[in-house]
Amino acid sequence: MATHVRHPIWLRQVRPAGARTFASLYTMESFARATVSSVIPIQAYEILQSEQAVSILYTIVSLLGLSVTLFMPMLIGRFARRWVYTAGACLLAVGSLFFVTDTLAGQALGMLCRVMGASALSITLNLYIMDHIRKTEFIRSESLRLAWSTFAWTGGPTLGILLYTKYGIYAAHGAVAVFALILLALFWYYRLSDNQMIAAGKSRALNPITNISRFIAQPRLRLAWLIAFGRNCYWTTFFVYGPLFMVIAGEGEVAGGLLISAGNALLFTAIFWGRAGKRFGTRGTIAVAFAAMAVTLFAAGWVSTTAPLITGALLLCGALFAIAIDALGSTVFMRSVHPYERSQMAAVYRTYLDFSELTPPMIYSIVLAFFGLGSVFVTLGLLMAGCAAVSWRYVPKSM
């Protein structure tokens, strides 16, 4: 028949999207982001020559990125998820072009592109996961996704630092562009946009204020946001102030990259944390993890620059428990959000990342005006202790 279309054979061989599909996409995205995760704060410090100024720069960029996140449902409704995801991958590559200018303006624009790209990729990927993965499989899927990304977050920061110190700025940020293009090709190979469940699931995107009000009105969504916010505050501090701490303490740039890689190498434990969550319950595991993070941070603040390697080891201990919340925390949101408003609520939920990149540097810039660098870890420890108490009190036992 004239209307019959015979698709290429390779298209039929693409398996239905599952946990491994999203694990592979997240791993490649992680390579694109992790490669310069320890380069960016060092590069910013070299330009500004002040850790307080670096904190202010991160605050400004996070404020601008927050507005983009809140309007993401409108972009998804107008251009479809596949194009928003595509734009996110492209923004990571475009950001590299700004970074290589090695100027303050280029640094700020590169960081902004990176934030906007991460926002688009995170929201759309979470929507795809909720469409394709059953609620009872969320913990397994998230654990697998984090475990696979171990390769990226372990080797990426050290690779980026080595490229930056040995071959220069173009090599480090050029690698990001390559990984972003590979991610884009992999995404289109999986053809996630062709899934009929996704097409049928679209709904009118309400304005950001309405979405925020709707989100705040649901206690479990507020709880999910706080858990994610607390967890990511740790990672923001670890990625930004970990390398800075090693440089300021006299251990050097390579030591900062190795610290980040060592912390990320622990991501393979996500699978074991997922099993612990099923065995001992999500509530207990999350609360204990937050409490342990608080203890290690208080100790790191107390030791500080008097013994940099011990401080680094304490930060690594905290990272181990942060991964427990990585593996389990997002399930609170995924099991609580209503299917008919996933796009709107996912965008508001995603603001935890923007606020966790905005709030700590803003507070630290004030604290650092009066105290040493160790005060950063003590301040974060207070937040972790609060998150532990809230998680133990409000996360349902049945979750």
Side-chain angles (χ1 to χ4, degrees), residues 136-158:
T136 55
E137 294 295 318
F138 280 152
I139 291 179
R140 174 182 173 276
S141 176
E142 291 300 284
S143 300
L144 183 67
R145 185 160 66 105
L146 290 171
W148 278 31
S149 68
T150 302
F151 300 102
W153 290 108
T154 300
T158 300

Side-chain angles (χ1 to χ4, degrees), residues 142-191:
E142 291 300 284
S143 300
L144 183 67
R145 185 160 66 105
L146 290 171
W148 278 31
S149 68
T150 302
F151 300 102
W153 290 108
T154 300
T158 300
L159 172 64
I161 284 292
L162 292 176
L163 290 174
Y164 183 64
T165 55
K166 289 191 175 183
Y167 301 103
I169 193 172
Y170 287 94
H173 292 289
V176 173
V178 172
F179 286 130
L181 293 177
I182 295 174
L183 169 65
L184 198 57
L186 188 63
F187 170 74
W188 281 97
Y189 168 76
Y190 286 141
R191 299 172 67 241

Side-chain angles (χ1 to χ4, degrees), residues 39-351:
V39 171
I40 292 174
I42 292 174
Q43 188 176 339
Y45 183 73
E46 290 176 348
I47 294 173
L48 296 170
Q49 295 297 310
S50 168
E51 60 265 32
Q52 186 178 13
V54 171
S55 295
I56 294 172
L57 176 61
Y58 270 86
T59 299
I60 294 172
V61 171
S62 297
L63 275 173
L64 295 174
L66 176 61
S67 61
V68 175
T69 298
L70 291 175
F71 281 94
M72 198 62 66
M74 292 184 176
L75 294 176
I76 293 174
R78 180 171 178 80
F79 299 106
R81 295 179 195 175
R82 63 184 182 276
W83 296 116
V84 174
Y85 190 96
T86 298
C90 291
L91 280 169
L92 295 182
V94 171
S96 298
L97 298 177
F98 287 116
F99 279 122
V100 297
T101 63
D102 202 22
T103 62
L104 179 57
Q107 183 77 14
L109 289 172
M111 292 170 66
L112 182 59
C113 285
R114 182 177 167 88
V115 169
M116 293 190 299
S119 175
L121 292 170
S122 175
I123 292 174
T124 49
L125 186 64
N126 277 334
L127 292 175
Y128 284 127
I129 288 173
M130 286 187 284
D131 278 332
H132 288 279
I133 304 297
R134 293 179 298 178
K135 287 187 176 183
T136 55
E137 294 295 318
F138 280 152
I139 291 179
R140 174 182 173 276
S141 176
E142 291 300 284
S143 300
L144 183 67
R145 185 160 66 105
L146 290 171
W148 278 31
S149 68
T150 302
F151 300 102
W153 290 108
T154 300
T158 300
L159 172 64
I161 284 292
L162 292 176
L163 290 174
Y164 183 64
T165 55
K166 289 191 175 183
Y167 301 103
I169 193 172
Y170 287 94
H173 292 289
V176 173
V178 172
F179 286 130
L181 293 177
I182 295 174
L183 169 65
L184 198 57
L186 188 63
F187 170 74
W188 281 97
Y189 168 76
Y190 286 141
R191 299 172 67 241
L192 294 177
S193 58
D194 292 345
N195 189 291
Q196 295 303 313
M197 291 177 62
I198 297 176
K202 289 183 180 180
S203 60
R204 183 173 61 89
L206 302 177
N207 69 72
I209 301 300
T210 303
N211 293 338
I212 293 172
S213 299
R214 175 62 183 156
F215 189 97
I216 293 176
Q218 301 180 63
R220 285 196 179 181
L221 294 187
R222 297 199 306 265
L223 176 62
W225 189 94
L226 177 64
I227 291 172
F229 170 76
R231 173 202 71 198
N232 218 65
C233 279
Y234 185 89
W235 287 122
T236 297
T237 304
F238 185 78
F239 285 134
V240 176
Y241 294 90
L244 279 181
F245 174 82
M246 287 299 174
V247 171
I248 294 171
E251 297 297 325
E253 297 174 345
V254 174
L258 290 173
L259 174 66
I260 300 301
S261 291
N264 291 327
L266 297 173
L267 282 170
F268 78 91
T269 62
I271 292 179
F272 300 102
W273 284 119
R275 293 174 181 173
K278 289 184 177 180
R279 173 67 178 83
F280 302 106
T282 301
R283 184 184 72 165
T285 306
I286 290 177
V288 169
F290 270 127
M293 290 163 67
V295 172
T296 58
L297 284 165
F298 290 144
W302 181 65
V303 175
S304 191
T305 55
T306 58
L309 296 181
I310 294 178
T311 302
L314 289 168
L315 293 177
L316 287 177
C317 289
L320 175 64
F321 291 102
I323 292 166
I325 306 172
D326 280 333
L328 303 173
S330 60
T331 60
V332 178
F333 170 76
M334 292 181 176
R335 289 180 177 179
S336 302
V337 66
H338 297 297
Y340 61 84
E341 57 182 4
R342 283 175 176 172
S343 177
Q344 295 88 346
M345 296 303 100
V348 180
Y349 174 70
R350 171 54 176 69
T351 61

